[in-house]
Amino acid sequence: MRAPLLRLAAFAALAMFGAAHWSSLAASVPAGRTVLVVLVATGTAAVLVLLGAPAVRRRLTDALGARLAGTVIVDAALVAGAAGITLGLGAAGLPLRLLGPGNWGELFDGLDRGLAGIQAAEWPYAGPDQWLRRTILLGAPLLLGLAALLAFFPARRGAAVLRVAGLVCLLLVYGTAVTEHDPGEPLLRGLALLALVAAWLWLPRLSPRDALAGAGLVLALGALSLPVAAALDSEDPWWDYRAWSWFGDGKSITFDWTHRYGPLDWPRDGTTLLNVRSDRPHYWKAETLDTFDGLRWVRGNTSDASRDLQNLPDPSISGGAGWDYFEWNPRWDEDIRFTVRSLSTDLLVAAGTAYDVDGAGLVATAGDGTIRIQGAQLEAGDAYTINTYAPNPTARQMRGAPEDLPGTLTEYTAIELPGPGESALEPRDAIPVSGEQVRVPLWGGAAFGDPEAPRRALEQSVYGEMYGIATRVTADAPNMYEAVKRIESYLNDNFTYSEEPRRARYPLNAFLFRDEFGYCQQFSGAMALMLRMAGIPARVAAGFAPGSFNRDMSEYRVRDLDAHSWVEVYFHGIGWVTFDPTPPATPASTQAAGLAPAASPAGAINERRDGAAASERAAEGASSPAAETDQGLSAWLLLPVLALAGAALAVYLVVRRGRRLTPTELAAAQLAELGRALARLDWEMPAGTTLLGLERRLGRTAGPAAARYAAALRAHRYDPRSPVAPSLRQRRELRRDLTAGSGLRGRLRGLIAIPPGGPRPV
């Protein structure tokens, strides 16, 4: 038994090592739950060891024949493996009721939601989604149960291959966990893994003295390799696995940021596009859409490469006025590094208003900060750094911003109105005939010319109803910030998110007055247009939401799921500030990431992240698994574990059934057993029947095999020249004769009355 026990010990150690790292993928996992998962897997392995024990195989072969015995052992092993995996899933937190056929729909729906969320999960996951957390934790018992089944499967052929496959599963538990979430100290963890794998491979085969020598050698070699490994470890990877693809050179994804308002056709595969190293999250802007052409938001001619950056303070001025009466705020001046993964574009993704670029080649910077690469495109592996001015004001700062806006900002209250056309909601793709352009007077500023002309033009246009809503919602707002928040709240509270809007001649009218649903283009387009109608300088920005923050790498991971459109509003003395009217349930990737709240309570990112964090805290306090009081160790979950232990004990008792007896004791036990068996099987024996009489009676009524068993028993009891007890084969033939013609029920009664094995001799 030494070798199997050592194999079990090595399995348990490797399983605990991997499971402990796997549990770090979720926050606040009870240690008892992890230990229970490992105990279930080890118990499964122990049952498989007993099923493969030579004694069990011999007894089953004697009782059932070699072929049937092999089939029974394989079937029992598969059942034990399936039971172990099932109990392991329960130990990890899966309600076992979901495994019933009637609950498979709920199970598959939950797992599907969890697997989708894992694409954007942040490690360790601490969010409120129980199915996402549950799906993460279920990976460990699944792999550990499979490892136990493979490594200890009672197969005579291919056992070495299966054992290696089991080791691979164990290594996957550890390797997957540390790849997703780096726990630090990789060299020491690697040394521990080396020792455990060495114990798995060689410990069961070595004598105690050789095992100690081998352990010393492995540890010595591992210690000597530490300085070499440390020297080879560098920040620049030999092989960048994050940029690797299974097929060819990987994906190359492009985006067209112009608003079209049709069904969303952006890539939605979860492909990583960018890795961004930044001190705080931003909306990563690719292009500014500053012109409303009467139908949609497009990039106009108000910003071109020949103009200076608009509305950017002069960093050389400290304590005084810069452009447009800015004062340079060093806290909003940042260096951000971008690494391209699967994005192909000639637009440089940035944040805020970038004023310097390093590493992207020849670029042209437009007046609004949009940057275009000259004569080339960004491809996978490219990296660049931007210096940017990205305001991050509080609500108090925006409320107190001066409202004497510069007159040059009227270009951001300009609205192109469509010419005479058909019904505003008729589904047409044709662009309306260009009409007049109106410039709404700036908020709080004096109007030039006829102040009523823009109002009359808007009221009489196809956007008259939208203009009425914009003026009504912002009426009596005490300051520009409150007016912006009112329009944002109006859209957020009254319209729903959908990626399948219907086409219309005037899409933003259709969004507000017909469909009442849409995605980020509809929400941002409608908000920017309504802000301009209220005289507030606004424009649309397109690019990506912040994405998920990878704490291990200290960078943001931006995927195609994060493609987004939002609004920028100009505040005097501050600059362009981000607002996002799209409902907070989207984009899914950003919301699933569970970003920590920023220090400032205002602005689109700050408000969204504060709200998400508050809801997560409330949800965790109510029902999150992280706030459970170790409910995983409740009595209902211990019952299946006890059942598994009972199964292991039953198999062990089959092997060790009965104590070893002397020949005299064995003969007496066999006689008593035969008497009880005949009574249970309804064979009537007259009182005082001798063994010889029993032999003759069984020969006449049961069959020759039963008579031979009685003869062998009589010889063993009384003939000193025949000390050998009846064999297992003779017991099997006796049972067959006594239950012949009694059907399945009778044969089962025979197995109970005359079980395989029986009393054992010394």
Side-chain angles (χ1 to χ4, degrees):
M1 293 295 293
R2 176 180 175 275
L5 289 176
L6 290 176
R7 288 180 58 200
L8 283 173
F11 174 86
L14 263 172
M16 180 58 71
F17 186 72
H21 286 85
W22 191 285
S23 65
S24 68
L25 295 177
S28 304
V29 177
R33 188 182 292 279
T34 303
V35 172
L36 190 58
V37 168
V38 175
L39 287 178
V40 170
T42 306
T44 303
V47 171
L48 294 170
V49 167
L50 292 174
L51 286 173
V56 173
R57 191 178 294 275
R58 284 196 305 269
R59 291 180 178 278
L60 289 176
T61 300
D62 290 340
L64 305 173
R67 179 175 298 180
L68 185 56
T71 302
V72 169
I73 290 174
V74 170
D75 291 346
L78 293 175
V79 170
I85 292 175
T86 301
L87 295 177
L89 295 176
L94 180 69
L96 295 181
R97 65 173 182 82
L98 296 178
L99 298 177
N103 298 316
W104 284 355
E106 180 183 353
L107 175 63
F108 293 151
D109 288 344
L111 291 177
D112 181 66
R113 187 176 73 185
L115 291 172
I118 284 177
Q119 294 184 1
E122 189 51 51
W123 312 118
Y125 178 72
D129 191 329
Q130 291 193 26
W131 266 112
L132 176 53
R133 178 185 176 89
R134 186 176 289 159
T135 304
I136 293 171
L137 295 179
L138 293 183
L142 186 62
L143 284 172
L144 292 180
L146 184 60
L149 182 61
L150 291 171
F152 296 93
F153 193 80
R156 291 185 172 182
R157 295 182 180 179
V161 175
L162 291 175
R163 192 177 178 205
V164 171
L167 176 60
V168 170
C169 290
L170 290 173
L171 294 179
L172 278 175
V173 178
Y174 170 77
T176 302
V178 298
T179 299
E180 291 293 335
H181 175 47
D182 183 6
E185 302 294 342
L187 299 181
L188 293 179
R189 295 175 191 275
L191 180 59
L193 182 63
L194 171 65
L196 291 172
V197 172
W200 171 273
L201 293 175
W202 299 309
L203 185 59
R205 305 179 185 179
L206 300 177
S207 66
R209 178 177 297 180
D210 292 339
L212 288 175
L217 178 61
V218 169
L219 292 177
L221 291 176
L224 290 174
S225 69
L226 289 178
V228 178
L232 295 176
D233 188 21
S234 65
E235 293 185 359
D236 296 327
W238 292 9
W239 173 49
D240 190 352
Y241 67 89
R242 295 178 302 176
W244 181 73
S245 173
W246 286 96
F247 304 104
D249 296 328
K251 297 181 179 180
S252 182
I253 298 177
T254 60
F255 288 86
D256 179 3
W257 299 112
T258 301
H259 279 198
R260 302 191 184 280
Y261 307 115
L264 189 61
D265 59 357
W266 286 343
R268 310 287 282 173
D269 300 324
T271 304
T272 299
L273 304 178
L274 297 165
N275 293 112
V276 186
R277 191 175 294 271
S278 173
D279 293 336
R280 60 186 174 93
H282 295 276
Y283 280 61
W284 315 113
K285 181 168 63 175
E287 189 168 27
T288 300
L289 309 179
D290 54 12
T291 298
F292 184 74
D293 68 357
L295 178 66
R296 59 173 63 89
W297 286 90
V298 297
R299 181 165 179 77
N301 297 320
T302 57
S303 300
D304 55 54
S306 65
R307 301 175 59 185
D308 292 323
L309 290 173
Q310 300 168 358
N311 317 120
L312 184 69
D314 186 346
S316 65
I317 300 177
S318 178
W323 281 3
D324 298 331
Y325 310 105
F326 267 104
E327 182 175 353
W328 188 268
N329 188 334
R331 292 181 300 172
W332 298 344
D333 184 19
E334 296 186 56
D335 296 337
I336 304 175
R337 182 170 179 80
F338 293 80
T339 303
V340 181
R341 295 302 173 195
S342 300
L343 182 66
S344 179
T345 179
D346 63 347
L347 293 172
L348 214 63
V349 180
T353 302
Y355 58 85
D356 191 24
V357 180
D358 181 33
L362 182 63
V363 299
T365 303
D368 60 1
T370 300
I371 308 169
R372 191 176 297 275
I373 305 172
Q374 299 296 297
Q377 283 194 327
L378 289 175
E379 301 290 351
D382 291 340
Y384 60 92
T385 301
I386 65 166
N387 302 108
T388 186
Y389 194 76
N392 185 34
T394 64
R396 181 178 180 181
Q397 288 174 312
M398 287 184 282
R399 289 190 181 99
E403 296 191 353
D404 52 339
L405 298 172
T408 56
L409 290 173
T410 55
E411 63 182 282
Y412 291 107
T413 61
I415 301 173
E416 191 82 23
L417 296 176
E422 301 178 38
S423 171
L425 299 184
E426 183 175 344
R428 288 273 187 106
D429 291 328
I431 298 177
V433 179
S434 178
E436 64 175 315
Q437 184 189 74
V438 298
R439 292 190 178 224
V440 180
L442 291 170
W443 178 276
F448 297 94
D450 182 1
E452 295 297 316
R455 179 183 63 79
R456 289 194 299 269
L458 287 169
E459 288 178 341
Q460 295 170 9
S461 73
V462 295
Y463 296 111
E465 191 173 356
M466 185 189 302
Y467 175 70
I469 294 175
T471 54
R472 183 174 68 252
V473 169
T474 58
D476 302 324
N479 52 65
M480 197 172 79
Y481 171 74
E482 295 297 337
V484 173
K485 294 301 296 180
R486 288 184 183 185
I487 291 180
E488 183 184 52
S489 298
Y490 173 79
L491 294 172
N492 202 287
D493 296 341
N494 295 287
F495 300 88
T496 58
Y497 185 87
S498 171
E499 297 179 357
E500 297 293 334
R502 293 180 288 173
R503 294 188 179 276
R505 179 175 176 83
Y506 301 112
L508 295 182
N509 268 350
F511 166 64
L512 292 177
F513 307 119
R514 184 190 69 183
D515 300 332
E516 298 184 349
F517 60 79
Y519 53 94
C520 59
Q521 289 188 357
Q522 280 83 2
F523 281 91
S524 60
M527 179 176 177
L529 185 56
M530 294 172 73
L531 288 174
R532 288 196 176 188
M533 290 175 174
I536 299 173
R539 63 192 187 189
V540 172
F544 303 96
S548 59
F549 184 68
N550 187 327
R551 292 181 177 85
D552 299 331
M553 307 300 295
S554 297
E555 63 185 17
Y556 293 89
R557 180 170 53 182
V558 182
R559 310 186 186 199
D560 55 11
L561 294 169
D562 297 312
H564 197 44
S565 179
W566 60 94
V567 176
E568 291 183 336
V569 179
Y570 180 81
F571 287 87
H572 193 31
I574 296 174
W576 292 100
V577 180
T578 296
F579 289 86
D580 192 349
T582 308
T586 56
S589 176
T590 301
Q591 297 304 317
L595 297 173
S600 175
I605 296 178
N606 297 330
E607 289 173 354
R608 281 174 165 261
R609 293 166 72 239
D610 281 348
S615 63
E616 286 184 8
R617 287 193 296 270
E620 287 183 4
S623 60
S624 172
E628 293 179 358
T629 57
D630 204 17
Q631 296 176 358
L633 296 180
S634 57
W636 72 266
L637 189 55
L638 289 177
L639 290 177
V641 177
L642 292 176
L644 183 63
L649 179 61
V651 175
Y652 178 77
L653 291 177
V654 169
V655 180
R656 304 292 298 176
R657 177 179 173 82
R659 67 183 182 90
R660 295 182 181 271
L661 306 174
T662 65
T664 303
E665 292 174 332
L666 178 60
Q670 289 175 324
L671 283 171
E673 181 190 46
L674 180 58
R676 291 193 300 269
L678 292 173
R680 289 177 179 176
L681 296 175
D682 301 326
W683 286 85
E684 296 182 359
M685 291 291 123
T689 301
T690 63
L691 278 176
L692 181 58
L694 178 61
E695 176 186 343
R696 294 171 178 171
R697 188 177 183 88
L698 289 176
R700 292 193 305 269
T701 58
R708 285 195 297 269
Y709 183 88
L713 185 58
R714 177 171 57 85
H716 177 59
R717 176 68 178 84
Y718 296 109
D719 188 351
R721 295 171 298 177
S722 179
V724 179
S727 66
L728 294 178
R729 180 177 180 180
Q730 289 175 315
R731 285 175 60 84
R732 185 169 65 250
E733 292 174 345
L734 168 68
R735 183 169 57 247
R736 185 181 301 122
D737 275 0
L738 293 179
T739 58
S742 59
L744 177 61
R745 182 177 180 184
R747 289 195 295 273
L748 291 175
R749 290 178 61 192
L751 280 173
I752 297 173
I754 310 175
R760 306 179 65 191
V762 173

